[in-house]
Amino acid sequence: MSDVYLNGQFMPLEQATVPVLDRGFIFGDGVYEVIPVYNRSPLALDRHLRRLEYSLDGIRMAYPMSRDAWTSLIHELIAREPSADQSLYLHVTRGVAPREHAFPKDVSPTVFAMSKPLTPPPPSWIKDGVSAITHADFRWLRCDLKTTSLLANVLLRQLAVDAGATECLLIRDGFLTEGAASNALIVLDGQLLAPPRNHLLLPGITYELVLETAARHGLPHKERPVTEAELRRAQEVMMTSSTREIVPITRLDGVPVGNGRPGPVTMRLLDLYQEYKRP
Ligand code: PDD
C-alpha cells in the first residue's frame, strides 16, 4: 500500500499510529469522507469537500484545513498510489485529550488520509443483482452527518452478511431511509423514487449524481418518502455509493424484486454513470 497521511506527514501505513486517548478511538468523535478516483481524477471533489465541511459543522469542529489544502493533499495521495482508479479516504477526529465527554479545550484535530485501489463491484452483481434484507433503522437522528461513529451501521451490515445478503435496507417508522452503507432508490410504476434528504439519511454524492442524471436524461423521478409497502412492491430497487456506484438489488428478504432481474431503469442509470465518471 502506498504511504498514508497523518497529521502533516506521509508515512507507511504500519507507522501511522494515534494515541489511545484520541477521541476517535475513545468516542468515535470524528467525521470522514470516501471519494472515488477515476483515472487519477477525484469524482465530484467539491461536493465531497462541501459534505465534509457540513459534517464538521454538524459536530461543531473547526475546519482543520482549507479547501485548497485538502485539494493538494488529495492530489498528492492520488499521485503516490500506483492504481489510476482509487478509493480515497479522509478522516478527522477531535484530537487527543483526557477522557471527558464534553469538548476539550485547545486540542489539535487528528487528520488521517489514505488512498487504495478502487475495486469495482464483481460483474455478477451487475449481471444478476444482489440480495438485501430489511431491518428497523436503529441509528441516531443525525444520519445526515458522515461520522465515524458507525457501530449501528456495522451491526446492520453484519446482519445482512449473516443472512448471506449484500446490504441491509433500513426502515424507520414505516419508511425506507437508506442502506447500512449506501443509499437506496426504487422504481415504482416507471418512476424513480428517492427517499428525501433529511436528518435520517446521508446525502449520498452518488445518490445526488443519479438524480441529476435522471433529470438530464428525462427519466421520471421524484425525491419523496418511500413507504415500506412501496419498497416491497417496487419493480426495481438499487443501492448507490461512491465505492460500489449503482448496484441492482434483485432479492429483498428472500423475495424477488420485480421479475428478479436487474431492471431497465437501473441499467440505464448505470450506463449513464459510466459515461459521467469518465468524461
Ligand atoms: N459509505 N449512506 C451511508 C450510510 C453510507 O455509508 C454511504 C457511503 C452512502 C453513500 O454515499 P456516497 O454516495 O456519498 O458514497 C449512503 C461509504 C462509501 C463508506 O462508508 O465506505
Side-chain angles (χ1 to χ4, degrees):
M1 180 159 181
S2 54
D3 280 1
V4 302
Y5 171 94
L6 180 63
N7 295 331
Q9 284 176 347
F10 287 91
M11 61 191 79
L13 179 64
E14 304 68 47
Q15 284 168 29
T17 56
V18 289
V20 288
L21 286 182
D22 191 283
R23 289 175 64 95
F25 181 64
I26 296 285
F27 293 121
D29 184 359
V31 298
Y32 75 107
E33 270 302 320
V34 179
I35 307 171
V37 176
Y38 296 104
N39 208 8
R40 303 202 170 275
S41 175
L43 188 74
L45 178 59
D46 277 3
R47 296 177 198 238
H48 282 279
L49 292 181
R50 221 180 303 136
R51 187 172 64 183
L52 179 63
E53 290 173 357
Y54 178 81
S55 299
L56 287 165
D57 288 341
I59 70 161
R60 298 170 57 187
M61 265 192 74
Y63 304 160
M65 333 186 178
S66 66
R67 281 215 190 164
D68 284 352
W70 281 120
T71 304
S72 35
L73 167 59
I74 285 163
H75 284 291
E76 177 71 33
L77 280 164
I78 292 172
R80 285 167 180 261
E81 164 57 48
S83 305
D85 291 355
Q86 305 175 21
S87 169
L88 198 142
Y89 180 83
L90 307 177
H91 178 122
V92 181
T93 80
R94 207 178 301 274
V96 181
R99 187 182 179 281
E100 180 67 53
H101 286 63
F103 301 165
K105 288 198 174 59
D106 305 324
V107 69
S108 305
T110 300
V111 178
F112 171 63
M114 62 181 169
S115 200
K116 61 176 189 181
L118 179 66
T119 32
S124 70
W125 284 23
I126 307 303
K127 195 172 137 284
D128 302 323
V130 299
S131 47
I133 60 164
T134 57
H135 200 276
D137 190 346
F138 54 63
R139 301 174 303 162
W140 70 334
L141 296 174
R142 290 310 308 274
C143 296
D144 53 327
L145 304 177
K146 201 163 172 63
T147 78
T148 59
S149 312
L150 285 172
L151 181 56
N153 303 65
V154 165
L155 292 172
L156 289 160
R157 174 57 75 81
Q158 188 58 39
L159 288 177
V161 171
D162 292 347
T166 301
E167 183 56 301
C168 180
L169 300 188
L170 307 175
I171 309 289
R172 195 190 285 262
D173 300 330
F175 291 90
L176 171 66
T177 54
E178 59 179 337
S182 61
N183 289 108
L185 297 88
I186 72 167
V187 178
L188 188 66
D189 305 330
Q191 192 176 39
L192 177 68
L193 296 179
R197 281 166 279 192
N198 58 27
H199 61 292
L200 298 180
L201 56 89
L202 187 78
I205 308 296
T206 323
Y207 162 114
E208 275 178 23
L209 295 175
V210 163
L211 284 184
E212 289 169 21
T213 302
R216 258 199 323 278
H217 292 270
L219 303 179
H221 64 283
K222 195 164 195 162
E223 184 176 340
R224 66 131 166 103
V226 172
T227 66
E228 178 174 359
E230 288 175 323
L231 169 66
R232 296 200 188 280
R233 65 182 180 84
Q235 287 81 43
E236 300 180 38
V237 178
M238 68 195 81
M239 61 185 208
T240 65
S241 76
S242 290
T243 44
R244 304 287 173 72
E245 304 181 348
I246 303 167
V247 177
I249 292 174
T250 47
R251 285 186 89 76
L252 192 62
D253 292 328
V255 177
V257 174
N259 65 7
R261 304 293 312 158
V265 178
T266 309
M267 296 318 280
R268 178 91 204 283
L269 288 167
L270 199 72
D271 278 351
L272 293 169
Y273 193 80
Q274 301 312 307
E275 287 168 24
Y276 176 85
K277 76 182 201 195
R278 291 186 205 278

